[in-house]
């Protein structure tokens, strides 16, 4: 009598690389293809080619450059995220140079990867985004948002009124998230458990109709709950 058949390994996650620099695409391909659970299914040199490749190849994840000729990564990200069954999008960027990074958050990007990151960090970030996590460190989230929120429109009454849906504690948690504190740090500051902080954050996202932590940070700034320099 034979036992149950061994489970088949899951197929590798499919990755599309979009960058106008061939050397960058080559380096990312080498890193991704070195892993048994990941495979590069295609490359694109601009946003238009990325959109066409997503339709043809159906990747799970797109590594998306920001600055490219023709359709840039921001516009391509926005178009892809507006479609049903959109892939996860990890923006490949240089934080000190890319003026589009803040807008990419709003367009639906799922995280950021610095171009000169070591291979180990690239793989950690790629796998986390594939699991559904948003990969921007809390301190980096604040730095990024504080830089680009200066270009955002002033808080609108509609945004400010949405804050009324939150309890006082939820506003407190949201403000601390926006100031760059991780869940454990918020828990220490408020003398509660980390699980409680996660519960509050989940309720905040639901009440405000926000997708993830970074969009909560953006909302906190744009609504006027916190201001640059607080």
């Amino acid at each position: 009598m034979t036992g149950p058949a061994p489970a088949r390994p899951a197929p590798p996650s499919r990755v599309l690389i979009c960058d106008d620099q061939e050397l960058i695409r080559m380096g990312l391909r080498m890193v991704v293809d070195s892993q048994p659970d990941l495979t590069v299914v295609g490359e694109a040199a601009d946003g238009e080619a990325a959109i066409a490749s997503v339709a043809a190849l159906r990747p799970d994840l797109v590594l998306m450059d920001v600055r490219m000729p023709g359709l840039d990564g921001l516009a391509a990200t926005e178009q892809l995220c507006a479609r049903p069954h959109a892939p996860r999008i990890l923006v490949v960027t240089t934080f000190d140079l890319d003026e589009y990074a803040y807008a990419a958050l709003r367009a639906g990007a799922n995280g950021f990867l610095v171009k000169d990151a070591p291979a180990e960090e690239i793989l950690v970030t790629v796998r986390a985004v594939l699991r559904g996590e948003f990969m921007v460190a809390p301190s980096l989230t604040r730095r990024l948002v504080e830089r680009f929120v200066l270009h955002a429109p002033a808080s609108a009454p509609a945004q400010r009124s949405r804050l009324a849906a939150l309890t006082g504690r939820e506003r407190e948690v949201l403000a601390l998230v926006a100031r760059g504190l991780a869940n454990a740090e918020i828990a220490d500051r408020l003398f509660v458990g980390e699980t409680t902080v996660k519960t509050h954050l989940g309720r905040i996202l639901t009440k405000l109709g926000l997708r993830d932590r970074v969009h909560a940070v953006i909302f906190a700034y744009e609504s006027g709950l916190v201001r640059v320099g607080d």
Side-chain angles (χ1 to χ4, degrees):
M1 185 174 179
T2 59
R8 294 182 180 180
S13 297
R14 299 162 60 81
V15 179
L16 174 71
I17 299 172
C18 181
D19 196 294
D20 64 334
Q21 299 181 50
E22 184 176 1
L23 286 177
I24 296 293
R25 297 199 306 269
M26 185 182 305
L28 290 172
R29 176 182 279 272
M30 289 178 62
V31 172
V32 173
D33 273 343
S34 70
Q35 304 298 301
D37 60 328
L38 302 170
T39 184
V40 174
V41 295
E43 297 181 11
D46 57 52
E48 292 281 5
I51 291 172
S53 296
V54 167
L57 301 172
R58 299 192 177 279
D60 302 300
L61 172 71
V62 179
L63 298 180
M64 181 74 78
D65 188 19
V66 175
R67 295 184 173 185
M68 295 180 290
L71 190 71
D72 62 36
L74 169 60
T77 295
E78 188 171 15
Q79 290 189 33
L80 288 171
C81 290
R83 300 181 178 188
H85 311 297
R88 310 284 296 175
I89 297 180
L90 182 56
V91 171
V92 182
T93 183
T94 50
F95 282 102
D96 293 332
L97 297 177
D98 287 337
E99 299 299 326
Y100 298 134
Y102 175 73
L105 287 175
R106 304 192 69 191
N110 302 107
F112 289 90
L113 178 66
V114 181
K115 283 189 175 182
D116 60 357
E120 182 178 351
E121 182 178 332
I122 292 173
L123 293 171
V124 168
T125 304
V126 164
R127 290 189 175 108
V129 169
L130 283 166
R131 289 195 302 268
E133 299 177 26
F134 192 101
M135 286 303 290
V136 180
S139 58
L140 190 55
T141 297
R142 181 178 181 180
R143 183 181 122 197
L144 179 65
V145 173
E146 284 195 352
R147 175 172 178 177
F148 292 103
V149 78
L150 297 175
H151 303 289
S155 58
Q159 288 175 310
R160 292 194 298 271
S161 67
R162 290 168 65 189
L163 288 171
L166 303 182
T167 66
R169 177 47 61 94
E170 287 166 351
R171 288 193 190 197
E172 196 172 6
V173 169
L174 178 57
L176 293 174
V177 168
R179 292 185 178 110
L181 275 68
N183 288 350
E185 295 172 315
I186 296 172
D188 288 342
R189 179 77 63 90
L190 300 180
F191 303 103
V192 298
E194 190 171 350
T195 300
T196 301
V197 174
K198 292 178 180 178
T199 300
H200 283 310
L201 184 55
R203 289 173 179 165
I204 290 167
L205 297 179
T206 299
K207 288 181 177 181
L208 298 178
L210 302 173
R211 194 185 60 180
D212 51 44
R213 186 187 193 96
V214 171
H215 284 83
V217 174
I218 293 171
F219 176 87
Y221 278 96
E222 291 187 337
S223 66
L225 178 65
V226 294
R227 300 183 185 279
V228 176
D230 283 355

